[in-house]
Amino acid sequence: MTHVLHRSIAHHYPTAVSGRDIFIRDETGKDYIDASGGAAVSCLGHSHPDVIAAMRAQLDHLEYAHTSFFTTQVAEELADDLVARAPAGLDHVFYVSGGSEAIEAALKLARQFFVERSEPQRRYLIARRQSYHGITTGALAVGGREWQRQAFAPLLIATHHVSPVYEYRERALNETPEAYGERLARELDAKIEELGGENVIAFVAEPIVGATMGAVPAVPGYFKAVRRICDRHGILLILDEVMCGMGRTGTLHACEQEGISPDLMAIAKGLGGGYAPIGALLLQGKIFQTLAQGSGFQHSHTYTGHPLACAAALAVQRVIRRDDLLANVRRQGAYLERRLRERFGNHPFVGDVRGRGLFQGLELVADRGTKEPFDPTRKLNTRVKHEAMARGLMVYPMGGTVDGRRGDHVLLAPPFIIDNAAVDMIVERLGDAIDAAVAT
Ligand SMILES: Cc1ncc(COP(=O)(O)O)c(C=O)c1O
């Protein structure tokens, strides 16, 4: 009998007792390959000695100091580190403890920016369907995962949603990827015109859609067009790099590969790599200047800039650079993609393999020809997860890929330290798990 309110009340969870490199061990001694980094978190794998040493050293000095009284050296150093490598113009950092908090902060900061600039009429937020931006009420409101929003709809702030980039299903046969991207950009522009450009606060998007769609990148030119549209209407562009950022796709920030810089950028998961709960919001100089001339950011948390979390994140980021792990993300990402295509390229129930770097997704379909998804009542994604766990493999499957209700995908986000042999093992076990799941 447990007193923990677990994610799934009926499910019996194994107890994790230790971790090492890409493995987590449970209380029976069984090892699981962490091929999803939990939820794209554990970018350095588990129990990295250098990160643990840095956290111990911080604890020896100071465990906590409330940010209304003090700053700390480690919080300053981490901010310097992040700004030095940030997309153009992002020059300040607001610390939080996770992804949802980063998005909440982004939404409030975007609104406050316009209030400070005497544009209080700006009140609309636009985001995309089938996106995930977190679970708190503001983040849930901008998120586009319909089944998760339904029960809480009366509590959510009004937001407007446009189409995601979903090439596999929504690019027309006679349409180039570029033309498809332009069509989606025109849809955004039309939505802004409908609401009145002067009334819109921000457009929120994940550069690569993670949890809800399974590592779906944009088409070439899409984000450049989005950037131009936002600029033309004076609207802020908020990029959610909570899952796809901090090296996961082979560059430190996913937006680098789109050739744009956002006004606000949320990061979390890979920032601290699971060693401590930490997230951050990076903001453009013009936003900081507006706050500095106004009333400062009217927002804070008790654990903002927690020294232990900052020490963990700083150590994680230094190890990634010292060991040139982004090069390994690109190398092993290419190898993982190749092995996935070899194993699943002609698989009767895998319709699409997609992603970037060590952020790869498979979309499962009942019929490859028609792209018909499985009946959602089969809960195929849950079965895949159980079959994978039975084989000592952690992957991150999810349902609702197609429209928030139908469709199944599997997300892979292994640690950046992975090698060829581990990739081979992941692909083999995943193949067996999917075959077993569709057979039941
Ligand atoms: C893109 C994205 N944004 C926000 C979040 C929310 O982060 P958290 O679960 O840390 O609150 C997630 C979590 O999966 C995410 O994938």
Side-chain angles (χ1 to χ4, degrees):
M1 161 70 178
T2 174
H3 294 284
V4 177
L5 176 54
H6 286 288
R7 283 175 182 249
S8 167
I9 292 176
H11 184 66
H12 173 75
Y13 294 89
T15 304
V17 292
S18 63
R20 172 77 43 198
D21 301 331
I22 63 165
F23 295 98
I24 289 187
R25 179 168 292 177
D26 73 13
E27 81 280 22
T28 69
K30 178 173 171 179
D31 285 324
Y32 303 80
I33 304 178
D34 189 355
S36 55
V41 172
S42 301
C43 55
L44 272 192
H46 301 277
S47 302
H48 198 292
D50 299 340
V51 181
I52 292 169
M55 293 175 75
R56 282 209 178 105
Q58 180 60 45
L59 278 179
D60 283 343
H61 286 99
L62 179 68
E63 82 300 336
Y64 176 70
H66 193 276
T67 49
S68 69
F69 300 89
F70 294 104
T71 184
T72 56
Q73 193 183 332
V74 70
E76 298 291 337
E77 275 182 41
L78 178 61
D80 291 348
D81 195 272
L82 291 173
V83 166
R85 289 158 190 85
L90 295 172
D91 66 7
H92 278 79
V93 177
F94 180 77
Y95 290 120
V96 290
S97 300
S100 302
E101 282 188 8
I103 293 296
E104 294 291 336
L107 302 180
K108 285 183 67 182
L109 183 45
R111 163 72 189 167
Q112 198 193 323
F113 171 70
F114 287 117
V115 172
E116 302 277 359
R117 295 186 22 148
S118 305
E119 295 184 64
Q121 83 287 352
R122 287 195 188 257
R123 62 188 184 282
Y124 296 124
L125 295 162
I126 305 176
R128 302 188 300 181
R129 289 191 292 278
Q130 282 126 276
S131 56
Y132 185 66
H133 296 298
I135 209 74
T136 50
T137 47
L140 198 59
V142 281
R145 195 186 241 171
E146 223 22 70
W147 62 267
Q148 235 169 8
R149 300 172 87 249
Q150 259 165 20
F152 305 98
L155 307 182
L156 303 182
I157 48 170
T159 52
H160 298 264
H161 290 88
V162 293
S163 302
V165 181
Y166 193 6
E167 213 184 342
Y168 171 60
R169 287 185 184 274
E170 294 182 5
R171 174 162 73 83
L173 274 179
N174 59 356
E175 199 175 32
T176 63
E178 289 77 7
Y180 172 51
E182 282 161 23
R183 171 158 66 89
L184 293 176
R186 281 198 301 277
E187 183 190 333
L188 172 63
D189 203 22
K191 173 56 77 180
I192 294 170
E193 294 287 356
E194 177 195 319
L195 298 170
E198 71 287 0
N199 297 322
V200 179
I201 298 171
F203 176 59
V204 189
E206 295 165 82
I208 300 191
V209 182
T212 41
M213 293 178 81
V216 179
V219 287
Y222 168 80
F223 271 107
K224 280 201 170 130
V226 164
R227 180 71 271 184
R228 275 196 302 275
I229 291 167
C230 288
D231 287 344
R232 183 149 44 80
H233 293 282
I235 292 167
L236 298 183
L237 174 59
I238 301 174
L239 288 186
D240 181 347
E241 295 220 1
V242 165
M243 191 178 253
C244 63
M246 299 317 289
R248 174 73 31 218
T249 65
T251 48
L252 188 59
H253 307 294
C255 64
E256 287 172 44
Q257 296 179 51
E258 306 300 337
I260 59 151
S261 188
D263 297 296
L264 292 163
M265 185 168 77
I267 55 175
K269 299 175 182 271
L271 172 60
Y275 288 85
I278 184 164
L281 180 65
L282 276 63
L283 46 140
Q284 283 283 340
K286 69 172 179 193
I287 299 176
F288 173 77
Q289 290 307 332
T290 301
L291 293 178
Q293 286 153 20
S295 48
F297 188 20
Q298 295 169 23
H299 187 75
S300 69
H301 295 281
T302 298
Y303 293 125
T304 292
H306 193 286
L308 189 60
C310 289
L314 191 58
V316 167
Q317 298 311 312
R318 284 179 174 163
V319 170
I320 288 173
R321 274 203 303 281
R322 183 196 68 195
D323 296 350
D324 199 15
L325 289 178
L326 295 195
N328 200 49
V329 172
R330 293 189 288 273
R331 200 164 40 239
Q332 293 302 329
Y335 184 64
L336 175 61
E337 185 183 339
R338 199 186 95 208
R339 294 289 292 111
L340 289 172
R341 289 192 188 284
E342 282 166 10
R343 177 67 176 82
F344 300 106
N346 293 310
H347 194 286
F349 302 117
V350 176
D352 194 28
V353 177
R354 61 218 178 193
R356 274 189 200 153
L358 286 175
F359 199 42
Q360 297 284 328
L362 304 178
E363 183 162 337
L364 307 176
V365 286
D367 184 318
R368 270 173 74 95
T370 62
K371 303 183 182 177
E372 183 62 24
F374 282 92
D375 178 345
T377 59
R378 280 188 69 173
K379 294 192 184 323
L380 186 67
N381 57 87
T382 309
R383 288 172 195 233
V384 170
K385 186 168 179 181
H386 293 166
E387 294 292 347
M389 285 291 275
R391 289 164 176 76
L393 179 70
M394 291 163 60
V395 292
Y396 200 56
M398 201 62 77
T401 323
V402 178
D403 53 11
R405 197 180 71 81
R406 294 173 314 140
D408 302 270
H409 64 262
V410 181
L411 184 65
L412 297 173
F416 301 175
I417 54 171
I418 200 161
D419 61 15
N420 282 15
V423 167
D424 290 342
M425 251 190 313
I426 290 170
V427 174
E428 190 190 317
R429 289 186 196 182
L430 179 58
D432 293 347
I434 290 175
D435 290 344
V438 288
T440 51

